[in-house]
Amino acid sequence: QVQLVESGGGLVQPGGSLRLSCAASGNIFSIAMVMGWYRQAPGKQRDMVATITMPTSTNYVDSVKGRFTISADIAKNTVYLQMNSLEPEDTGVYYCGITTLFSKNYWGQGTQVTVSS
């Protein structure tokens, strides 16, 4: 049974930092093709923030380049998003997503990130 659980969100002031974690059950990281973080603001679509295409290729939306870093620990079935220099525009629900080699998508339940003074 596959389950993705995000954690690490919260309320932070502009310029602050947060580290999001996504822990996966079901041992799907061994067959993952893409691991990523996606953000949804109220009233907006869910957009890609950062991805890893296995084994090491990373991609970021332009607005977070130089501020966010995605990484993964395959042995621990965990993907991370380090977020620095946070801005109010970074506010939203962050979802962990996994696409397997068999083109199956899995999603976590999301974790709220609010950047506000």
Side-chain angles (χ1 to χ4, degrees), residues 8-106:
L11 174 64
V12 64
Q13 295 186 13
S17 297
L18 288 172
R19 186 186 188 226
L20 306 183
S21 299
C22 173
S25 64
N27 198 31
I28 67 165
F29 271 45
S30 63
I31 58 171
M33 181 174 65
V34 181
M35 303 175 290
W37 290 94
Y38 305 79
R39 179 174 64 206
Q40 187 167 26
K44 299 183 179 179
Q45 67 179 9
R46 186 180 301 182
D47 293 324
M48 185 275 290
V49 176
T51 61
I52 299 175
T53 299
M54 297 303 293
T56 59
S57 181
T58 60
N59 189 37
Y60 300 90
V61 67
D62 286 346
S63 60
V64 310
K65 288 181 179 178
R67 301 188 296 119
F68 290 11
T69 302
I70 187 170
S71 61
D73 187 332
I74 304 302
K76 295 183 178 180
N77 285 349
T78 303
V79 60
Y80 305 95
L81 185 68
Q82 178 67 47
M83 305 185 295
N84 299 324
S85 301
L86 283 161
E87 305 169 353
E89 293 74 20
D90 297 319
T91 294
V93 179
Y94 284 71
Y95 296 89
C96 177
I98 304 293
T99 302
T100 71
L101 294 171
F102 308 106
S103 298
K104 174 70 175 180
N105 295 324
Y106 296 91

